[in-house]
Amino acid sequence: MTTTTVVVRRLAAEEWTGYREVRLAALADAPEAFGSTLAREQAFTEDVWRGRLLARNTLVAERDGESLGLVGIVPAGPGQAELVSMWVHPAARGLGVGDLLVRAAIERAGRLGLPEVLLWVAEANAPAERLYTRHGFGRTGEVQPVDEESDRGLEFAMLRPATG
């Protein structure tokens, strides 16, 4: 990969087809990391994809028009956002794209008046935990199944408290 600039921006509802493509790639690449499945989301209609983009603050990392990763921010409670659907394309891992996405998500949450950010990480995903720890997240002690409908393991909560 070349070293041209990576840009992180928010996706609009009209960009649902590109969002669908990247989200399905994420589910195919790392099914153990998400509470949903590739088969479930392949069946989503255009209205569902557009609705997700309207309900979430979905950010995409791009270089030269190519999507390198995604992250979403959704309100989770008073003063708190939840970071969801984080994924970096395998070819872009280790290049700082994950750091760019996490920073952008934290900044977006702050602009929405949600300075505390919560997220869930699958137990076996040590690289993700290291990424989040670099950005001030710590384990809360909460644990839950990745998916209530199957036996795909557990995930744990991490929280980045409000700063300042």
Side-chain angles (χ1 to χ4, degrees), residues 53-140:
L53 287 173
L54 289 171
R56 298 177 178 187
N57 291 277
T58 301
L59 308 172
V60 62
E62 298 173 317
R63 182 179 53 217
D64 299 329
E66 178 185 356
S67 296
L68 303 177
L70 282 176
V71 67
I73 284 289
V74 294
Q80 188 179 74
E82 185 173 352
L83 187 151
V84 298
S85 302
M86 175 73 180
W87 178 74
V88 175
H89 190 284
R93 293 178 188 154
L95 302 177
V97 173
D99 290 303
L100 289 173
L101 284 166
V102 172
R103 273 195 301 273
I106 291 167
E107 289 170 10
R108 181 72 185 158
R111 284 195 301 276
L112 294 170
L114 306 168
E116 190 173 80
V117 182
L118 172 76
L119 57 85
W120 292 87
V121 179
E123 277 188 322
N125 198 345
E129 183 175 8
R130 286 191 302 273
L131 168 67
Y132 300 132
T133 300
R134 281 197 305 271
H135 292 277
F137 288 86
R139 288 190 184 209
T140 69

Side-chain angles (χ1 to χ4, degrees), residues 1-6 63-64 95:
M1 297 191 110
T2 61
T3 57
T4 58
T5 303
V6 175
R63 182 179 53 217
D64 299 329
L95 302 177

Side-chain angles (χ1 to χ4, degrees), residues 18-69:
Y19 169 53
R20 179 183 190 271
E21 181 180 318
V22 178
R23 175 68 178 168
L24 295 180
L27 290 166
D29 173 61
E32 69 286 348
F34 299 100
S36 188
T37 66
L38 179 61
R40 177 177 176 260
E41 295 196 16
Q42 283 175 324
F44 284 175
T45 64
E46 175 181 339
D47 286 344
V48 171
W49 291 107
R50 285 179 178 272
R52 278 182 155 202
L53 287 173
L54 289 171
R56 298 177 178 187
N57 291 277
T58 301
L59 308 172
V60 62
E62 298 173 317
R63 182 179 53 217
D64 299 329
E66 178 185 356
S67 296
L68 303 177

